[in-house]
């Protein structure tokens, strides 16, 4: 039953030492290092279960949750359960590490398309563009309709670029 939940099933190149594995896995899912004091194989297995949870059949999910609940460090256990709940029931995008390579590639394609489109029509969330918008606002003490529209466009382009960078970074791990 546990063969589907192991560090070998993760799509990352992970070193063989337990300390390096813990540090790498904790970094991927956003666990503070102080939660890993005295951590070992049980915690490695629990973090792997957290990362793989969304893609497991129900029987494996039950086993994964048993692994997570077997962690004696309650704050760490709580963080792992929180990650499982957020990425499974709320929004997988909040834990990009929970996405499969296929999902990541699909996201990358979508965000790259938007980025290319924005570049093609000459829109970028450049510092200079935002600075110019700020200067116009400061000078007139109000933001007109065009300024508000530009601000929304700058925000959308910047958000898309951020998401594209995040997906690209995850695919390189």
């Amino acid at each position: 039953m546990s063969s589907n939940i192991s560090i070998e099933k993760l799509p990352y190149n992970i070193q063989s030492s337990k300390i390096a594995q813990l540090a790498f896995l904790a970094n991927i899912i956003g666990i503070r290092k102080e939660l890993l004091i005295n951590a070992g194989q049980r915690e490695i297995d629990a973090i792997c279960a957290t990362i793989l949870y969304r893609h497991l059949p129900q029987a494996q999910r039950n086993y994964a949750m048993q692994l997570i609940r077997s962690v004696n460090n309650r704050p760490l256990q709580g963080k792992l359960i929180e990650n499982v709940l957020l990425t499974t029931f709320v929004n997988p995008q909040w834990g990009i590490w929970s996405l499969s390579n296929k999902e990541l590639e699909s996201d990358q394609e979508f965000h790259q398309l938007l980025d290319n489109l924005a570049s093609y029509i000459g829109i970028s969330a450049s510092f200079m563009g935002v600075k110019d918008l700020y200067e116009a606002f400061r000078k007139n003490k109000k933001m007109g309709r065009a300024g508000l529209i530009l601000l929304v466009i700058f925000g959308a382009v910047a958000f898309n670029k951020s998401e594209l960078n995040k997906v690209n970074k995850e695919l390189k791990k």
Side-chain angles (χ1 to χ4, degrees):
M1 167 109 53
S2 65
S3 63
N4 286 338
I5 302 174
S6 68
I7 203 160
E8 291 80 26
K9 298 292 181 179
L10 298 179
Y12 304 112
N13 295 320
I14 304 173
Q15 296 178 358
S16 59
S17 88
K18 290 196 186 327
I19 293 171
Q21 290 174 354
L22 279 165
F24 184 83
L25 294 171
N27 184 50
I28 286 173
I29 65 173
I31 293 176
R32 297 184 328 267
K33 295 199 186 318
E34 48 285 4
L35 291 180
L36 300 176
I37 295 172
N38 298 321
Q41 189 61 51
R42 178 180 296 181
E43 289 75 14
I44 290 171
D45 293 343
I47 296 172
C48 291
T50 302
I51 292 171
L52 295 169
Y53 191 87
R54 280 187 58 241
H55 306 284
L56 298 172
Q58 188 58 46
Q60 288 289 320
R61 283 183 175 190
N62 293 338
Y63 178 73
M65 194 53 75
Q66 286 175 356
L67 280 174
I68 293 167
R69 288 196 173 126
S70 74
V71 171
N72 292 326
N73 179 332
R74 293 290 181 209
L76 176 57
Q77 182 188 110
K79 181 67 174 160
L80 295 175
I81 291 171
E82 175 187 322
N83 280 338
V84 164
L85 294 175
L86 287 176
T87 59
T88 304
F89 299 109
V90 181
N91 187 349
Q93 295 289 332
W94 290 354
I96 196 164
W97 45 262
S98 75
L99 300 177
S100 68
N101 281 348
K102 186 175 182 176
E103 290 169 318
L104 287 168
E105 288 164 0
S106 176
D107 267 14
Q108 182 186 44
E109 186 178 317
F110 172 75
H111 290 297
Q112 189 64 59
L113 176 71
L114 290 180
D115 191 56
N116 291 344
L117 180 62
S119 294
Y120 179 73
I121 60 176
I123 300 173
S124 71
S126 69
F127 174 73
M128 292 306 291
V130 173
K131 182 179 177 227
D132 291 345
L133 189 60
Y134 171 74
E135 290 296 328
F137 172 73
R138 198 178 74 169
K139 186 178 182 181
N140 298 330
K141 300 293 183 212
K142 68 177 186 169
M143 185 173 292
R145 184 179 202 147
L148 187 57
I149 291 169
L150 277 175
L151 187 60
V152 169
I153 291 171
F154 281 148
V157 170
F159 175 76
N160 183 68
K161 185 62 115 176
S162 169
E163 290 297 300
L164 178 60
N165 290 339
K166 195 165 62 170
V167 168
N168 287 338
K169 182 179 174 186
E170 182 67 17
L171 281 169
K172 286 181 183 176
K173 288 184 182 175

